[in-house]
């Protein structure tokens, strides 16, 4: 019974795939061809990205069904669009160009053509085998007679039904087709998805290019990480030299003077002692601030969520923090995310003129996602000299990405994604 049930479910899936493939694939293929052709008229520059995005969403639906219904994994081969893609006409032209240069776009179009033809042929057999059996039984139950009287008989597959005997043969053949459907229906649906994978999955050449791109990016971000580490060490050395070290040296000199004056001028010695106590307190405060700038204790003790909440409490602008993290990421990832959020908040406070800031932090699909939003004047953008570029380089060390949405007049949303696993 389980096998029969699975075959009937596969038949329903095949019927759905047939309808979707015929309607969706034909419509999207025609729209894609027309839109690309209209690029010469200028209209296609605006319609092509929209249509191709629809094709990708349609293909992603096929990927989801393939995994859920037949266990066929179809990876996504698309090249990611730049996070700081411009708006307006220039941005549309750039988006259109990038999507057309992506080999996966043309493989999607090939898949649409195959899906509306061979894909339909494979999928349609899954519902046809059990449904055709029903028609054979309908003929055997007497419907053959009026059909025969009206027009000379009915063909059921290769059987010409002109009598009850031939109608019974049609019913028997239908049972055989039903048994065949029980045996092959699930394989037919899986074959349909395997055919899709042949076009939707990345080829070996595409994987090699993607691997080379990732190696180049990791090489670049490694150099950035080394440069950032060297700059951070210089900053720490400078802060120690100009801050705590200078105060400790001054305190040592004061203590030497106190030792000389304690018997001859106790009042002066007492004054210098109070000053030395003040210098020690300020040196301790500076050391604590320095340690917090290297790795905040609350980050190590209580994790990223509580560290960001503690950071928000010290800001001069009302900041709301929403955290949904089912565990903790590795210490390097937490540190990178914390300082990326800290720099984003500092940029918002310094440049946005915002009255309120929101920080949303959650985890899903192997990604740590953080969004920092403010209600300021907008206009933030990635680029050379921008503080956001430093955040992008910091995240790039962990293969993370940064996206900025900041139209004139606001609001500004800075979104960060870092691939990681939580413990």
């Amino acid at each position: 019974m389980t096998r029969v049930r699975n075959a009937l479910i596969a038949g329903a899936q095949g019927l759905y795939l047939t309808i979707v493939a015929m309607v969706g694939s034909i419509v999207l293929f025609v729209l894609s061809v027309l839109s690309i052709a209209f690029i010469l008229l200028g209209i296609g520059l605006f319609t092509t990205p929209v249509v191709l995005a629809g094709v990708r969403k349609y293909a992603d639906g096929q990927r989801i069904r393939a995994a859920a219904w037949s266990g066929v994994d179809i990876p996504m081969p698309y090249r990611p669009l730049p996070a700081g893609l411009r708006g307006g006409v220039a941005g549309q032209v750039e988006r259109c160009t990038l999507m057309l240069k992506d080999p996966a776009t043309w493989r999607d179009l090939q898949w649409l053509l195959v899906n509306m033809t061979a894909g339909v042929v494979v999928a349609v057999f899954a519902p046809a085998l059990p449904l055709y059996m029903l028609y054979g039984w309908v003929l055997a139950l007497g419907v053959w007679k009026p059909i025969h009287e009206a027009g000379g008989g009915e063909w059921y597959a290769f059987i010409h039904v002109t009598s009850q005997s031939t109608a019974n043969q049609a019913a028997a053949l239908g049972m055989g087709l039903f048994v065949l459907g029980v045996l092959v229906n699930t394989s037919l649906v899986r074959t349909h998805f395997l055919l899709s994978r042949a076009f939707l999955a990345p080829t070996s050449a595409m994987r090699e290019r993607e691997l080379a791109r990732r190696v180049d990016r990791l090489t670049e971000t490694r150099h950035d990480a080394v440069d950032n580490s060297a700059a951070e060490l210089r900053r720490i050395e400078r802060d120690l030299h100009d801050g705590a070290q200078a105060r400790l040296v001054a305190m040592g000199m004061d203590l030497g003077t106190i030792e000389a004056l304690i018997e001859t001028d106790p009042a002066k010695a007492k004054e210098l002692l109070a000053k030395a106590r003040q210098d020690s307190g300020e040196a301790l405060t500076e050391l604590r601030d320095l340690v917090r700038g290297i790795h905040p204790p609350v980050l190590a003790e209580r994790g990223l969520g509580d560290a960001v909440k503690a950071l928000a409490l010290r800001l001069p602008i009302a900041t709301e923090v929403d955290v949904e993290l089912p565990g903790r990421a590795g210490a390097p990832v937490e540190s990178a995310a914390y300082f990326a959020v800290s720099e984003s908040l500092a940029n918002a406070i310094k440049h946005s003129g915002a009255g309120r800031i929101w920080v949303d932090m959650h985890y899903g699909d192997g990604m740590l996602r953080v969004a920092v939003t403010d209600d300021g004047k907008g206009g933030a953008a990635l680029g050379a000299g921008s503080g956001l570029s430093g955040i992008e380089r910091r995240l790039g060390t962990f293969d993370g990405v940064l996206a900025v949405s900041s139209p004139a007049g606001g609001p500004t949303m800075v979104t960060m994604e870092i691939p990681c696993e939580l413990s």
Side-chain angles (χ1 to χ4, degrees):
M1 289 301 295
T2 301
R3 191 158 192 172
V4 173
R5 186 181 72 250
N6 291 340
L8 293 176
I9 292 173
Q13 292 171 346
L15 180 60
Y16 177 85
L17 291 172
T18 300
I19 296 171
V20 169
M22 290 183 66
V23 177
S25 296
I26 292 174
V27 170
L28 286 173
F29 183 79
V30 171
L31 289 177
S32 299
V33 172
L34 290 176
S35 186
I36 293 173
F38 286 158
I39 290 178
L40 297 176
L41 302 177
I43 302 174
L45 293 173
F46 300 94
T47 60
T48 299
V50 176
V51 173
L52 293 182
V55 172
R56 292 185 177 188
K57 188 174 181 179
Y58 176 66
D60 288 342
Q62 184 79 342
R63 292 184 175 92
I64 294 171
R65 287 189 292 271
W69 292 358
S70 296
V72 176
D73 181 46
I74 307 178
M76 285 191 292
Y78 307 117
R79 294 175 181 174
L81 295 175
L85 205 60
R86 296 170 292 176
V89 176
Q92 281 296 106
V93 173
E94 184 179 2
R95 184 184 300 274
C96 182
T97 302
L98 290 173
M99 295 183 80
L100 290 177
K101 284 183 177 179
D102 190 344
T105 296
W106 301 101
R107 287 178 59 80
D108 281 353
L109 297 180
Q110 293 174 29
W111 168 71
L112 290 177
L113 190 59
V114 171
N115 198 46
M116 71 175 76
T117 52
V120 168
V121 172
V122 173
V124 77
F125 276 104
L129 292 174
L131 290 175
Y132 204 44
M133 176 205 70
L134 296 178
Y135 183 52
W137 278 96
V138 167
L139 291 175
L141 290 174
V143 175
W144 69 270
K145 195 169 185 177
I147 295 177
H148 174 64
E149 293 174 350
E154 172 74 356
W155 282 94
Y156 183 87
F158 54 83
I159 298 174
H160 189 201
V161 181
T162 58
S163 64
Q164 186 62 47
S165 174
T166 52
N168 292 339
Q169 293 175 26
L173 178 59
M175 285 298 298
L177 293 175
F178 179 79
V179 172
L180 179 62
V182 170
L183 296 175
V184 303
N185 265 14
T186 54
S187 297
L188 287 172
V189 173
R190 182 176 176 82
T191 301
H192 174 87
F193 289 128
L194 291 174
L195 187 63
S196 296
R197 186 171 69 177
F199 290 88
L200 293 180
T203 62
S204 58
M206 293 169 67
R207 285 193 291 266
E208 289 174 2
R209 284 195 296 269
E210 177 64 16
L211 182 60
R213 187 190 67 80
R214 287 173 59 85
V215 168
D216 291 341
R217 176 171 171 78
L218 289 175
T219 301
E220 179 184 351
T221 55
R222 184 189 64 183
H223 292 158
D224 289 337
V226 172
D227 293 341
N228 290 338
S229 297
E232 189 71 9
L233 287 174
R234 289 194 297 270
R235 182 189 67 80
I236 293 171
E237 181 183 9
R238 183 177 64 252
D239 290 348
L240 283 172
H241 183 272
D242 296 341
Q245 180 179 338
R247 292 189 183 279
L248 290 173
V249 170
M251 187 173 65
M253 296 175 62
D254 288 342
L255 289 174
T257 305
I258 291 169
E259 185 179 7
L261 294 176
I262 196 167
E263 294 182 356
T264 59
D265 192 350
K268 183 65 174 176
K270 186 176 180 180
E271 179 183 341
L272 291 174
L273 190 61
K275 183 174 180 298
R277 185 185 301 112
Q278 180 182 355
D279 286 342
S280 68
E282 292 177 352
L284 182 60
T285 299
E286 290 180 356
L287 287 173
R288 285 174 176 168
D289 291 339
L290 184 62
V291 170
R292 189 180 293 112
I294 299 172
H295 193 79
V298 67
L299 180 60
E301 296 169 4
R302 302 181 60 181
L304 178 61
D306 287 340
V308 172
K309 289 179 180 178
L311 176 63
L313 292 175
R314 299 196 300 269
L315 299 179
I317 297 177
T319 303
E320 182 179 333
V321 180
D322 182 25
V323 178
E324 292 183 13
L325 298 178
R328 293 191 59 174
V333 173
E334 284 194 335
S335 180
Y338 174 84
F339 286 108
V341 173
S342 177
E343 291 175 37
S344 298
L345 292 172
N347 286 337
I349 292 170
K350 185 176 181 181
H351 302 293
S352 71
R356 194 169 187 83
I357 301 175
W358 296 266
V359 180
D360 178 68
M361 187 180 304
H362 64 278
Y363 180 84
D365 300 327
M367 285 282 184
L368 173 64
R369 294 182 174 88
V370 184
V372 179
T373 309
D374 66 68
D375 60 358
K377 61 186 179 181
L382 287 169
S386 168
L388 296 172
S389 298
I391 301 175
E392 186 178 34
R393 289 194 299 271
R394 183 188 292 275
L395 298 179
T397 306
F398 299 90
D399 211 15
V401 295
L402 177 73
V404 180
S405 173
S406 183
T412 295
M413 175 180 284
V414 178
T415 306
M416 295 162 265
E417 290 188 353
I418 307 176
C420 65
E421 296 293 333
L422 300 188
S423 59

